[in-house]
Amino acid sequence: MNSQKLNDIIEKNKPRMLETLSELIAVKSVAENKSGGIYPYGKPCAEALEIMLKAAENMGFATKNYEYHAGVADWDNSLGKPQLGVLCHLDVVPASPENWSSDPFKMVIRNGCIYGRGSIDNKGPAVAVLYAMNAIKEAGIVLKKNVRFLFGCDEENGSSDIEYYLTKDKMPPMVFTPDGSYPVIHIEKGMLRFRFTKKYNGCISSMNAGTVPNAVPAYAEAVLKDSSMECYAGIAAHASTPDLGDNAITGLLSVLAERQKCEDCEDAVALSKLFPHGYTGGEGLEITAEDNESGKLTCVLSMMSVENGVITCTADVRYPVCTSKQKLLEKIKQKLSECGFETEVLIASEPHKTPADSPFVQTLLSVYEEETGEKGECIAIGGGTYVHDIEGGVAFGAEMPDYQYNMHGHDEHYPIEHLMAATRMIAAAIVKICGEEK
């Protein structure tokens, strides 16, 4: 393989790559759950899918639209069933323009970075895949195995797009997604998300804290029955890394629990013991777990409300491979039941693990090392990527270590050089896995 020729072609096509990415970012492809009609996730997601399908067709790839749930671009179907799949998504999370330095749905380049919703998650990496395949074709490199680029439209809301695809077709035996971090993510913790409720007549008159179930809440405020108010300002963080935040709900509960003069604060005291402030390992629920491969269990009390005589809470647990969801749920329900709460399980997913020593993973690590000059090692995360439910799948990029892309936040961006490096690595991986054997 003439890697320099391949990289030269990728560099030559940079203006086209940026043009395609600009077109995609301009589409507000926030997935909606549509029942009926031809667009299952709304017209904008369908428009983004059509842009990618048309671009792939113009490059000479065989495309297929899976009823606007997902689309594929195959290298050459005369080679048989695809043996390698590269998986991206075209849907994005919402963006509030008032929090951005520029229009989130208009690509802007500042200081060598691409700004716009989806630039890193996951439209930018999707463009990298498309132009990596195109560069291989332009370079005249022969592949012996078929490659499938698969792009869906519902990753942010649970990946029903992949569920639909699997009712129509099979996933290739090897799959990677640039929907995570480099070098290679081979372990993703299991996830438990549960809601628990109880009739309430305690010291809190009203409360509504936390905005999403998968984040450490930054602010909590409660109006008490004596008309006074208590509040706590914390620090937001993702539920997979709660140690980086300061949980405002548990902070407020600890304040209320210390109000010994309030005889009706017993529920606040109980919750403060179940979710002790400053502890993120499930200590209060007695579910702590840890292993060398996937790290510690994390537990976050992420939402809490008191309305109409009912207290409602939501919690998020990410657990390592050394324990099981059955064992954890039994203990969680027991501890909450002892305090009078009824529990409803919202999500219960198993951990995902692909062997680090597999030839597939080792090939991806070697590509990373050759491109960056850094040691390639497998990593485990508490979050989930697009391959969480795909056997043997791993995340290969697109985030470089120790860089903040503001993914899901305001001013999400993607350095152009990171985009180009991802394109080079994706192209090299495809050629190593599917090219002619030497």
Side-chain angles (χ1 to χ4, degrees), residues 31-102:
E32 305 172 52
N33 291 318
K34 297 283 188 179
S35 56
I38 62 172
Y39 305 129
Y41 309 118
K43 185 67 170 68
C45 282
E47 184 180 347
L49 192 73
E50 288 173 345
I51 290 171
M52 189 61 76
L53 287 167
K54 182 179 178 181
E57 287 171 5
N58 290 340
M59 292 174 180
F61 299 118
T63 63
K64 184 175 181 179
N65 184 341
Y66 289 80
E67 292 75 48
Y68 288 102
H69 290 79
V72 301
D74 289 344
W75 173 264
D76 183 353
N77 286 329
S78 70
L79 296 176
K81 294 289 185 181
Q83 297 302 299
L84 173 65
V86 187
L87 179 61
C88 292
H89 64 92
L90 303 176
D91 61 308
V92 298
V93 297
S96 300
E98 63 270 16
N99 297 325
W100 284 63
S101 302
S102 54

Side-chain angles (χ1 to χ4, degrees), residues 187-374:
I187 293 178
E188 300 173 22
K189 291 179 181 177
M191 182 190 300
L192 300 176
R193 190 172 295 161
F194 49 96
R195 182 186 297 125
F196 49 103
T197 59
K198 179 183 181 180
K199 289 185 178 180
Y200 182 74
N201 190 30
C203 62
I204 302 172
S205 176
S206 65
M207 176 177 173
N208 196 348
T211 57
V212 290
N214 63 340
V216 174
Y219 184 77
E221 181 179 277
V223 177
L224 306 183
K225 286 190 174 178
D226 63 7
S227 297
S228 65
M229 183 178 293
E230 290 283 2
C231 63
Y232 188 98
I235 300 172
H238 194 275
S240 63
T241 53
D243 55 307
L244 300 179
D246 180 9
N247 194 315
I249 293 177
T250 60
L252 179 57
L253 287 171
S254 68
V255 172
L256 294 176
E258 291 173 0
R259 292 166 59 103
Q260 298 298 332
K261 60 182 180 180
C262 292
E263 297 179 357
D264 55 355
C265 280
E266 60 182 37
D267 285 318
V269 172
L271 283 170
S272 190
K273 290 180 179 178
L274 291 169
F275 300 92
H277 185 58
Y279 293 84
T280 59
E283 290 86 352
L285 292 170
E286 298 179 5
I287 56 172
T288 57
E290 181 178 5
D291 61 51
N292 291 332
E293 283 189 305
S294 48
K296 294 182 179 181
L297 177 147
T298 61
C299 178
V300 174
L301 180 59
S302 53
M303 301 175 73
M304 178 176 170
S305 68
V306 176
E307 294 178 304
N308 302 318
V310 176
I311 182 169
T312 304
C313 299
T314 302
D316 183 290
V317 170
R318 312 293 172 103
Y319 65 96
V321 297
C322 62
T323 187
S324 69
K325 66 180 180 182
Q326 180 179 354
K327 178 182 177 181
L328 294 173
L329 285 173
E330 286 177 358
K331 177 58 73 171
I332 289 167
K333 290 180 179 179
Q334 174 200 329
K335 296 296 290 184
L336 291 172
S337 178
E338 289 172 357
C339 296
F341 289 97
E342 294 184 0
T343 304
E344 175 190 5
V345 178
L346 304 176
I347 295 176
S349 68
E350 299 283 2
H352 174 83
K353 179 181 177 181
T354 297
D357 59 358
S358 71
F360 175 50
V361 171
Q362 289 299 310
T363 297
L364 295 177
L365 290 175
S366 70
V367 168
Y368 174 80
E369 291 180 345
E370 290 166 8
E371 169 65 26
T372 67
E374 302 290 336

Side-chain angles (χ1 to χ4, degrees), residues 20-30 42-52 90-93 104-107 117-118 123:
T20 302
L21 182 52
S22 177
E23 190 177 0
L24 283 171
I25 288 175
V27 180
K28 193 176 180 180
S29 53
V30 177
K43 185 67 170 68
C45 282
E47 184 180 347
L49 192 73
E50 288 173 345
I51 290 171
M52 189 61 76
L90 303 176
D91 61 308
V92 298
V93 297
F105 295 102
K106 181 178 180 180
M107 191 181 89
R117 178 58 88 219
K123 291 176 177 178

